[in-house]
């Protein structure tokens, strides 16, 4: 860490005083308790028309400091819009946003602490614009929470998907699991009672769904299109545990280029 302190306006006034009296650089440095190289550099850099002015020198110093100061990442319109879109509309965390950019090696980059600082400053305190997209996947609304409707929904939703196993909770709505196994050819594995950590991904996904539909929320009148939108967002949200790939990419072994697509759109 540098211990150097820049010259103050008072020191610059003293330099002018001693310089006008004809003091040498070494003597000026001794008078104000500074290194002679500091005095030499000050006079060399801040003279205008061979004349030294403390106020002009101070202004030149301030201007140089402003130019040398790195620009905040979020002052870049492309980065700001990317972060805003993913944070407000897709509900990505700052770490997911930064990690995904690094994964795809785009021309955009930002650290998640920088995004957090922008959030704390209120840079994203605007109402998110909602978008709708259709997408087939594994979230399905059922009319009633009983084994008949749940079994039918499972078969309809999962019939064209590459499955290995199914791990549900121990609710009575899964009592007809053998019918699903017979239809889809996939085995069920139930966790032990009061052992939610045995199906950690399921518990985590439930928590993510509650970002949109809080616990106790009545989804009776929620349209299927909204359920599909939530499904799309969760399936295309990067996960740190997956190396910032999305569940969709891992499941289908296909890269989506989520960050690159945004970068290209903003540059056109």
């Amino acid at each position: 860490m540098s211990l150097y302190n820049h010259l103050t306006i008072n020191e610059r006034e003293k330099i002018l005083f001693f310089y006008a009296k004809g003091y040498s650089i070494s003597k000026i440095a001794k008078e104000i308790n500074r290194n002679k190289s500091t005095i030499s550099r000050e006079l060399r850099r801040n003279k205008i028309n061979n004349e030294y002015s403390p106020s002009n020198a101070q202004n030149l110093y301030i201007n140089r400091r402003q130019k040398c100061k790195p620009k905040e990442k979020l002052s870049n319109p492309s980065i700001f819009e990317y972060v805003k879109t993913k944070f407000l509309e897709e509900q990505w965390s700052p770490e997911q946003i930064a990690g995904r950019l690094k994964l795809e090696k785009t021309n955009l980059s930002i650290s998640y602490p920088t995004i957090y600082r922008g959030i704390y400053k209120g840079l994203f305190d605007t109402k998110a614009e909602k978008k709708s997209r259709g997408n087939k996947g594994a979230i399905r609304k059922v009319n009633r929470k009983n084994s008949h409707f749940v079994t039918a929904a499972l078969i309809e939703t999962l019939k064209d998907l590459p499955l290995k196993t199914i791990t549900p909770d121990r609710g009575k709505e899964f009592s007809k699991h053998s019918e699903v196994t017979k239809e889809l050819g996939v085995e069920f594995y139930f966790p032990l009672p009061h052992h939610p950590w045995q199906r950690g991904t399921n518990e985590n996904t439930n928590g993510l769904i509650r970002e949109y539909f809080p616990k106790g929320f009545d989804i009776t009148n929620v349209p299927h299109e909204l359920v599909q939108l939530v499904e799309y967002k969760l399936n295309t949200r990067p996960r740190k545990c997956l190396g910032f790939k999305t569940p969709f990419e891992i499941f289908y072994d296909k890269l989506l280029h989520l960050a690159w697509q945004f970068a290209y759109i903003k540059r056109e």
Side-chain angles (χ1 to χ4, degrees):
M1 181 178 178
S2 175
L3 298 178
Y4 176 78
N5 293 317
H6 292 279
L7 291 168
T8 66
I9 185 64
N10 289 333
E11 287 177 314
R12 289 188 164 99
E13 289 175 348
K14 291 178 180 179
I15 290 173
L16 174 62
F17 175 77
F18 294 122
Y19 183 69
K21 292 184 67 172
Y23 281 28
S24 67
I25 289 176
S26 297
K27 193 171 182 180
I28 295 174
K30 185 177 180 180
E31 289 290 340
I32 69 172
N33 196 28
R34 284 282 191 168
N35 191 287
K36 64 179 182 180
S37 63
T38 299
I39 308 303
S40 176
R41 181 171 57 252
E42 172 70 10
L43 293 173
R44 184 177 67 254
R45 298 180 70 184
N46 295 328
K47 279 185 179 180
I48 299 177
N49 296 326
N50 207 35
E51 292 186 359
Y52 178 78
S53 165
S55 58
N56 287 338
Q58 185 73 10
N59 289 333
L60 290 171
Y61 157 72
I62 292 173
N63 289 335
R64 285 193 295 268
R65 288 280 292 175
Q66 290 297 327
K67 290 179 180 179
C68 292
K69 187 177 181 180
K71 293 183 178 179
E72 293 186 1
K73 286 281 189 176
L74 290 173
S75 66
N76 181 318
S78 294
I79 295 179
F80 179 83
E81 288 300 322
Y82 175 80
V83 174
K84 178 182 176 182
T85 298
K86 296 305 180 185
F87 179 62
L88 293 181
E89 298 182 21
E90 305 298 336
Q91 290 75 51
W92 290 18
S93 71
E95 193 169 13
Q96 289 168 340
I97 294 170
R100 186 68 194 196
L101 286 173
K102 185 176 181 180
L103 174 68
E104 293 195 34
K105 298 181 174 64
T106 72
N107 60 322
L108 305 179
S109 66
I110 190 170
S111 67
Y112 69 87
T114 299
I115 299 175
Y116 274 116
R117 285 195 293 270
I119 295 171
Y120 297 148
K121 289 180 181 178
L123 298 182
F124 305 105
D125 290 349
T126 56
K127 188 176 181 180
E129 181 181 340
K130 301 298 181 181
K131 297 182 178 180
S132 63
R133 300 182 183 93
N135 186 63
K136 178 174 168 42
I139 298 179
R140 181 65 59 90
K141 176 183 172 183
V142 294
N143 294 328
R144 291 177 61 188
K145 189 180 178 181
N146 64 32
S147 60
H148 173 76
F149 286 103
V150 170
T151 299
L154 282 172
I155 294 173
E156 176 63 25
T157 303
L158 304 177
K159 64 181 179 181
D160 296 322
L161 299 178
L163 302 175
K164 292 185 178 180
T165 62
I166 296 176
T167 305
D169 60 26
R170 299 180 63 87
K172 293 181 179 180
E173 65 271 18
F174 296 106
S175 61
K176 295 184 178 181
H177 59 87
S178 59
E179 295 183 18
V180 180
T181 298
K182 181 179 179 180
E183 185 69 27
L184 302 180
V186 61
E187 292 291 337
F188 273 70
Y189 289 88
F190 289 89
L192 294 173
H194 311 295
H195 284 62
W197 56 88
Q198 292 183 346
R199 50 186 182 87
T201 299
N202 179 257
E203 288 293 311
N204 180 63
T205 302
N206 287 342
L208 296 177
I209 292 174
R210 285 172 183 158
E211 293 180 6
Y212 304 93
F213 307 122
K215 190 173 183 178
F217 179 81
D218 184 2
I219 65 170
T220 303
N221 297 319
V222 174
H224 181 63
E225 290 76 16
L226 180 56
V227 176
Q228 287 184 310
L229 174 60
V230 172
E231 170 206 35
Y232 175 87
K233 288 184 175 183
L234 295 183
N235 285 341
T236 56
R237 183 191 294 194
R239 306 288 177 88
K240 184 178 181 180
C241 64
L242 301 178
F244 294 106
K245 290 184 178 181
T246 69
F248 180 96
E249 291 169 316
I250 295 297
F251 194 74
Y252 290 105
D253 192 24
K254 180 180 180 181
L255 189 63
L256 294 178
H257 299 293
L258 300 173
W260 271 109
Q261 181 183 24
F262 185 91
Y264 285 137
I265 289 174
K266 291 303 178 183
R267 292 172 61 185
E268 290 178 354

